[in-house]
Amino acid sequence: MRFLSLHIDGFGKLKDFDLKFADGLNIISGENEAGKTTLHVFIESMLYGPDKKPKGFSKSVHEAMEPWDKFAPYSGSLTIEKSGSTYRIERNFTKDEESLSIYDETAHAYLKAPEEFLKDALCGLSRNAFNNSVSIGQLNAKTGIQFVGELKKYVENVSSSLSPDINAEKAVEMLKSKKQALEKQLDPMAAKNYALSLSRIKIIEGELSKPENDNNITIFEDKGLNLSNDKSNKETELTRVRSSIDEATSRLKAEKIEGANTVNDYDEKLDGLYDDYKTLKSKRVGIIRSFAIIMFLLVMFSLAYGYYTRFNSFARSLLYVAVGAAVIEIIVFAVLIIINHVNLKKCSQQLEELLKEKIDRVKICDENIIDAKKANHSFDGIIEEREKGFRKRAELEEYIGRLDMDIKANDAILEEQEKIRYCVEGRLSEENRLRSQAALLRNVIADNNRIKEQIDAIDIAIDTINDLSLTLKDRIGTYLNKEASRSIKNLTNGHYRSMDIGTGNDIYLSTKDGMVNVNSVSAGTLDQTYLALRLAAARFMMGGQDNLPLLFDDSFALYDDDRLKGAVNFIAKDYGGQALVFTCHRREESALDPSDYHFLQL
């Protein structure tokens, strides 16, 4: 991973601030109060979130780094490159609104699991491991003896636990303390007291099992409860059935339906009227058709006969008779038509009333007749359900009556059982007390077993930590000696040829004249030793690869010019990844060839 650029919307004194980084060594220079510390804290906060108790701060990052400009957003972004893809880390630092998102600029999409991505990008390093490995400062506030003690502590922690901030020896001490605390929680008398309680309970049970002490009150109490519950359930069901019947009756009453007979009566009445309607209509057409045919034949016969006889006196008489008959026929047919019309109108009105009652349509036709019947029979289900309700109501009322008699009989038996219970109540009370005591003792025994399991687990953990610590010390110690030796040789231009971490984490430096204990070297050499160890530990935790950028925060303040030149040239040429050097001096620039670094002025 390497840093490409950053943008600060608002963070401490920095506002709307942009910075671009180059590969290799980046020297970030600025006077005191220029914002170097703010920038360093911003980078760490982008990677891990704001620290609640950052080293050297009296407040949390949330409070200490609030934008000086109250109108500036408390947020920013850090663009990185990883495995050939570019990602933009975005954070909002506002308290109670803190958020993290990572945008994949190569794939043009936000990552679904930004925290997991950062963990992978940071090689799994925790914040403390990061600050004790790739983020490198100095121990210049301590005396030489204190500095040596810090170096030994650092070596011990790294070699025993893979982490600069974890100490295996302290972990073992903590586990032993936990074991002692657990041992004090054990109750050695719990098992014996539990056995005594069980023995006494067994004696009481034997006494209560005698025939004269038989007491079946629980059986009849349960039976009474079951009967009462059954009655309650049936009464609830009866109430529901009655309500269903009332509801169905109300709906049928609104439709003027009393039952299945009313539905059938409607069908019969509708069919009868519709048959009468069709008959009357057909009859009216027949009358008109008959009248027209008779009139036509009578007139045609009269005209034909008159024409044949040249309208003689008989023919004229016959014509007069025909005309008279036609008049009479007209009168008769008119009366028949009027009677038919009156009957048809009455039948139509009745049919229309029946149709409107069901479908709110009055047109008399086959389709409406069918729809009216369907509407009439739409209540068949309600009628049937109501009939079922009537039958169910009768069944429930009869069943509840039987339950009342059973409850009364059971109550009488319970009264007899109460007399027996008084005789054994004292013994049952003692038995219950003993059972409660036994239950508590069972819990104590279970707690004892759980505590013993924890103690066993602690013993296993202590043995495991000790075994792993020895293995890790051998493995990591070999790596630290090899890698730190290479670094100290380059940092001191060969003055010190190697580094050896001996028994008790004593550190020795090899010169042409022999081995030298770090207790006797200068403060500057101690700083170089510290730097060599930090670089070696960082590489070990990154799997032997230069995968993360190194951050140097005024790490070379105590270096003289020769040591400074050796250190920055070693970083520029030896470290394969990116490095950021924060400094308030210009010495680093003069110690390097311009082509070996990228300069950033704050």
Side-chain angles (χ1 to χ4, degrees), residues 309-337:
T309 58
R310 298 186 180 276
F311 292 100
N312 57 21
S313 58
F314 180 76
R316 285 194 298 274
S317 298
L318 183 61
L319 182 62
Y320 293 150
V321 170
V323 170
V327 171
I328 293 171
E329 185 179 359
I330 289 170
I331 294 171
V332 171
F333 277 103
V335 171
L336 291 175
I337 288 172

Side-chain angles (χ1 to χ4, degrees), residues 77-93:
S77 63
L78 175 65
T79 304
I80 66 171
E81 184 273 332
K82 179 181 179 295
S83 302
S85 297
T86 303
Y87 302 89
R88 186 174 68 249
I89 305 169
E90 302 171 348
R91 280 192 187 269
N92 179 2
F93 297 104

Side-chain angles (χ1 to χ4, degrees), residues 255 266 351-363 368 371-372 375:
E255 297 294 330
Y266 178 87
L351 271 174
E352 288 172 354
E353 289 175 0
L354 289 176
L355 290 172
K356 188 173 183 181
E357 180 182 333
K358 297 297 179 182
I359 61 174
D360 201 26
R361 298 197 299 271
V362 297
K363 182 180 179 181
N368 285 348
D371 289 346

Side-chain angles (χ1 to χ4, degrees), residues 369-385:
I369 294 297
I370 292 171
D371 289 346
K373 284 185 176 182
K374 287 181 180 178
N376 184 44
H377 283 277
S378 64
F379 293 93
D380 287 352
I382 297 176
I383 294 171
E384 184 178 353
E385 287 299 320

Side-chain angles (χ1 to χ4, degrees), residues 118-390:
L118 280 179
K119 184 177 180 181
D120 177 64
L122 291 164
C123 302
L125 294 182
S126 66
R127 182 193 294 270
N128 284 339
F130 178 85
N131 284 326
N132 284 285
S133 56
V134 297
S135 182
I136 302 172
Q138 60 167 323
L139 297 177
N140 54 13
K142 293 182 172 57
T143 65
I145 295 175
Q146 290 174 321
F147 200 164
V148 171
E150 289 290 342
L151 286 176
K152 289 184 177 183
K153 179 182 175 183
Y154 185 86
V155 170
E156 169 66 20
N157 291 352
V158 170
S159 62
S160 64
S161 62
L162 286 177
S163 176
D165 52 334
I166 298 176
N167 187 288
E169 189 175 317
K170 287 186 177 180
V172 170
E173 290 176 1
M174 181 194 70
L175 289 173
K176 287 181 178 179
S177 175
K178 178 66 174 177
K179 178 182 177 180
Q180 291 175 355
L182 289 171
E183 287 173 341
K184 291 179 181 179
Q185 297 177 25
L186 291 172
D187 185 348
M189 296 298 295
K192 181 179 179 180
N193 291 334
Y194 178 68
L196 290 173
S197 297
L198 291 182
S199 176
R200 185 60 184 159
I201 289 171
K202 189 174 181 179
I203 293 172
I204 293 175
E205 285 178 341
E207 294 174 353
L208 294 176
S209 65
K210 294 177 181 179
E212 60 268 23
N213 290 324
D214 283 347
N215 188 344
N216 298 318
I217 191 168
T218 304
I219 297 173
F220 292 101
E221 283 178 342
D222 291 342
K223 183 178 178 181
L225 180 61
N226 291 334
L227 288 170
S228 297
N229 289 339
D230 194 12
K231 180 182 177 182
S232 177
N233 292 336
K234 295 302 180 184
E235 287 177 339
T236 301
E237 186 177 359
L238 179 60
T239 301
R240 186 172 64 251
V241 169
R242 286 172 175 169
S243 175
S244 176
I245 291 172
D246 293 342
E247 182 181 352
T249 300
S250 298
R251 291 186 63 185
L252 293 173
K253 187 176 181 181
E255 297 294 330
K256 299 178 181 178
I257 298 174
E258 297 178 0
N261 292 335
T262 307
V263 174
N264 294 332
D265 290 346
Y266 178 87
D267 281 355
E268 291 176 2
K269 186 176 181 180
L270 183 67
D271 288 339
L273 286 172
Y274 191 47
D275 289 341
D276 292 345
Y277 173 81
K278 290 188 289 185
T279 300
L280 288 171
K281 212 171 181 188
S282 174
K283 188 174 182 181
R284 183 176 67 176
V285 173
I287 292 171
I288 294 172
R289 185 184 293 115
S290 299
F291 171 75
I293 292 172
I294 293 172
M295 288 292 295
F296 177 76
L297 291 175
L298 185 62
V299 172
M300 291 302 296
F301 176 79
S302 299
L303 291 175
Y305 184 79
Y307 179 78
Y308 178 77
T309 58
R310 298 186 180 276
F311 292 100
N312 57 21
S313 58
F314 180 76
R316 285 194 298 274
S317 298
L318 183 61
L319 182 62
Y320 293 150
V321 170
V323 170
V327 171
I328 293 171
E329 185 179 359
I330 289 170
I331 294 171
V332 171
F333 277 103
V335 171
L336 291 175
I337 288 172
I338 290 170
I339 293 171
N340 179 273
H341 178 74
V342 170
N343 290 335
L344 183 62
K345 185 175 181 181
K346 182 178 178 182
C347 184
S348 297
Q349 288 175 345
Q350 292 177 338
L351 271 174
E352 288 172 354
E353 289 175 0
L354 289 176
L355 290 172
K356 188 173 183 181
E357 180 182 333
K358 297 297 179 182
I359 61 174
D360 201 26
R361 298 197 299 271
V362 297
K363 182 180 179 181
I364 301 171
C365 60
D366 289 345
E367 180 182 355
N368 285 348
I369 294 297
I370 292 171
D371 289 346
K373 284 185 176 182
K374 287 181 180 178
N376 184 44
H377 283 277
S378 64
F379 293 93
D380 287 352
I382 297 176
I383 294 171
E384 184 178 353
E385 287 299 320
R386 188 177 68 164
E387 293 300 322
K388 289 181 181 178
F390 287 144

